[in-house]
Amino acid sequence: MAQRITIIGGGPGGYTAAFSAAKAGAEVTLVESAHMGGTCLNWGCIPTKTLKASAEALETAHRLAEFGISGAGEAVPDMPAIIARKDKVSGILRGGLEKTCSKLKVTLLRGRGEVLSACLVRVHGADGAVQEVEGDRVIIATGSSTLNIPTLPVDHERIITSDDALELQTVPKRMLVVGGGVIGCELAFIFQAFGSKVTVVEGLDRILPVPSIDADLSKLIQREMKKRGIACELARTATKAEVTETGVQVTLGPSPFVKDLPASAQKESVLEADVVLVAVGRVPNTSGLGLAEAGVETDQRGWIKADARLETSVPGIYAVGDVLGPARVMLAHVAAMEGLVAVRNCLGAFEDMDYSKVPAAVFTSPEVATVGLTEALAREQGFNVTCPQSNFRELGKAQAMGELAGLFKLVVDADSGKLLGAHLAGAHVSDIIAEPTLAMQLGATAKDLARTIHAHPTLAEGIFETAHLL
């Protein structure tokens, strides 16, 4: 008899697990309460990149004279059309997922899943109907949602979430982005391109204060923000917000998260914006799952605990994706790989999830992409490192494209020559990062990269040129 696997959540972790399990011969039921594709496809990766494509098209239109093109009229953003295109793209991809479910004979149930045990899931339909699904294993892949904070009460009009930002029908004249992480920075560049006067408030002392992002990339992105007129309020937090007739007045105070505050961050100030975008974190989608009753352990913030094999405290119940929280890596492609590992373990394997070589991309302008250790983390771990760097503008392809901002930085073990990390900024580096990721996966050295012929003229030559600096 085929293994029966019930998966709760149809995002990248859930649908990847479902398709993999079905291809392996399992009998699969996939439970989804909202749209197929989860946050990534409906409120995250794909919608933001679709808006970014529109922003880039607008910026190119404004630069046509630079490329020798004349006679074009003034280009302006049509937000209803931009949002409609975004919805169309997501709709096409959702439809593709549903067709794949049908093709692979994955049973798709619409409703909220409740875990009773590893062998039983109760599905609560929107119409009140209740259905029980028996099985052998359960994979929880319910994801996360935007975090709301008391000092910035979201009303979805003046004080909005990143989800709301993807539905704006007009471009705010003044946008205040609270949170200078990945989501905040991506949306800051997008709405600046559309015409907003943007200010980013970040509680730490640098933009993109993510441990996996090298400090040199943060400095570059902050410089590019300044060039574009995006203001940065670093080491500051929003302590109060008041909606007025003309917008929102936000009080900024010194951050409690930075020890040595710069003088510019020590005084209280008030900024006014038409829209305040809150992008300060995520919370787990675990409400109504029945985790406590089923015996599935969570941490104090509600994130599910799982072992290296992605199995929870209850044998036969696994968890993947964002619902595991920041103790793992909250990225769509990581969720997908976790889904594959969880399925293999459901089917009898004994495999640990490896997080040591995870590429990540930030779709700012220019893009940022990283894999492996930063220079700071490598030194903290005791490596004797050398970190060759080269500038994006040195590439012939970058000059031809008119995309000059960016850098290539490799983190190399000086003793063995082994590649420990790669940190890139520039056009299309989200694609280029695959090369150093594969190199690290194969245990390659920087010399191996330098001895690999790269096509010319390409942007990927930046890896080749940087490796030759050793």
Side-chain angles (χ1 to χ4, degrees):
M1 182 177 176
Q3 183 87 277
R4 298 169 300 173
I5 301 177
T6 305
I7 300 166
I8 305 175
Y15 70 68
T16 302
F19 299 161
S20 173
K23 290 175 184 176
E27 183 182 314
V28 182
T29 301
L30 179 59
V31 181
E32 173 54 57
S33 61
H35 295 304
M36 278 290 290
T39 295
C40 172
L41 180 48
N42 298 288
W43 306 283
C45 314
I46 301 304
T48 53
K49 261 44 85 186
T50 307
L51 261 62
K52 186 176 189 291
S54 294
E56 289 177 336
L58 182 62
E59 290 183 315
T60 300
H62 291 161
R63 296 174 60 194
L64 287 178
E66 180 185 329
F67 294 93
I69 308 298
S70 61
E74 182 182 359
V76 295
D78 180 345
M79 287 307 292
I82 289 171
I83 300 303
R85 178 176 181 271
K86 179 263 299 182
D87 291 340
K88 180 180 179 181
V89 169
S90 292
I92 289 170
L93 294 172
R94 275 198 308 270
L97 293 177
E98 290 167 1
K99 288 178 182 176
T100 303
C101 282
S102 178
K103 179 182 177 182
L104 295 176
K105 294 182 172 54
V106 172
T107 300
L108 178 58
L109 297 182
R110 299 291 186 176
R112 176 179 59 82
E114 178 187 2
V115 182
L116 301 182
S117 71
C119 301
L120 188 62
V121 170
R122 183 176 293 151
V123 181
H124 301 264
D127 59 358
V130 177
Q131 182 176 353
E132 293 192 342
V133 180
E134 295 182 352
D136 304 298
R137 299 286 187 272
V138 171
I139 299 175
I140 301 171
T142 48
S144 66
S145 300
T146 55
L147 170 67
N148 295 325
I149 55 178
T151 54
L152 295 170
V154 171
D155 62 10
H156 304 291
E157 293 182 11
R158 292 289 192 179
I159 303 177
I160 66 173
T161 67
S162 56
D163 293 356
D164 300 321
L166 300 175
E167 301 296 335
L168 288 176
Q169 297 293 308
T170 58
V171 177
K173 290 183 179 179
R174 302 164 300 173
M175 174 179 279
L176 182 66
V177 179
V178 180
V182 172
I183 296 171
C185 285
E186 287 187 354
L187 290 171
F189 277 99
I190 288 170
F191 280 94
Q192 184 277 328
F194 288 158
S196 292
K197 174 65 178 175
V198 179
T199 299
V200 178
V201 178
E202 171 52 49
L204 295 178
D205 56 3
R206 67 173 172 122
I207 287 298
L208 294 175
V210 183
S212 61
I213 294 179
D214 196 272
D216 286 335
L217 300 186
S218 292
K219 291 175 185 175
L220 186 146
I221 292 301
Q222 190 173 344
R223 285 199 304 269
E224 291 304 310
M225 284 181 159
K226 185 176 182 180
K227 289 179 185 177
R228 292 165 178 262
I230 299 174
C232 293
E233 295 279 352
L234 300 181
R236 309 270 275 163
T237 55
T239 59
K240 188 173 78 171
E242 181 181 354
V243 176
T244 67
E245 291 183 0
T246 56
V248 187
Q249 288 187 342
V250 179
T251 303
L252 302 183
S255 173
F257 309 115
V258 177
K259 289 183 179 179
D260 299 319
L261 285 169
S264 59
Q266 292 178 11
K267 294 182 180 179
E268 189 173 87
S269 61
V270 177
L271 296 180
E272 187 164 359
D274 298 291
V275 167
V276 175
L277 167 59
V278 183
V280 291
R282 310 285 295 180
V283 292
N285 291 336
T286 53
S287 177
L289 271 175
L291 298 182
E293 294 80 0
V296 176
E297 289 185 16
T298 60
D299 67 14
Q300 292 181 337
R301 294 184 58 196
W303 304 106
I304 295 177
K305 293 182 179 181
D307 63 17
R309 297 175 56 247
L310 304 169
E311 193 168 26
T312 69
S313 56
V314 178
I317 299 180
Y318 295 76
V320 303
D322 275 14
V323 79
L324 294 171
R328 305 295 175 110
V329 183
M330 297 172 69
L331 294 170
H333 46 283
V334 174
M337 183 60 74
E338 288 171 337
L340 296 175
V341 171
V343 165
R344 288 195 285 268
N345 289 331
C346 283
L347 297 177
F350 199 86
E351 180 179 337
D352 289 352
M353 176 67 193
D354 180 9
Y355 297 96
S356 64
K357 304 171 189 70
V358 173
V362 186
F363 292 86
T364 45
S365 298
E367 294 178 357
V368 165
T370 70
V371 65
L373 297 178
T374 63
E375 179 179 356
L377 287 174
R379 294 190 189 282
E380 284 178 19
Q381 294 185 19
F383 287 101
N384 174 27
V385 296
T386 181
C387 300
Q389 287 191 46
S390 64
N391 292 318
F392 215 77
R393 64 177 58 247
E394 297 167 4
L395 297 171
K397 181 69 176 292
Q399 290 286 343
M401 293 170 63
E403 296 287 352
L404 305 185
L407 63 83
F408 294 83
K409 178 176 181 177
L410 301 179
V411 180
V412 180
D413 182 353
D415 299 325
S416 67
K418 191 174 180 180
L419 185 64
L420 302 176
H423 305 275
L424 321 178
H428 303 295
V429 295
S430 57
D431 301 312
I432 299 169
I433 197 65
E435 179 185 358
T437 302
L438 179 59
M440 289 178 61
Q441 183 69 25
L442 297 176
T445 64
K447 187 175 289 187
D448 291 325
L449 292 175
R451 289 177 173 174
T452 300
I453 298 174
H454 289 63
H456 174 79
T458 62
L459 299 177
E461 284 179 289
I463 298 292
F464 177 82
E465 298 292 348
T466 308
H468 270 278
L469 296 175
L470 290 170

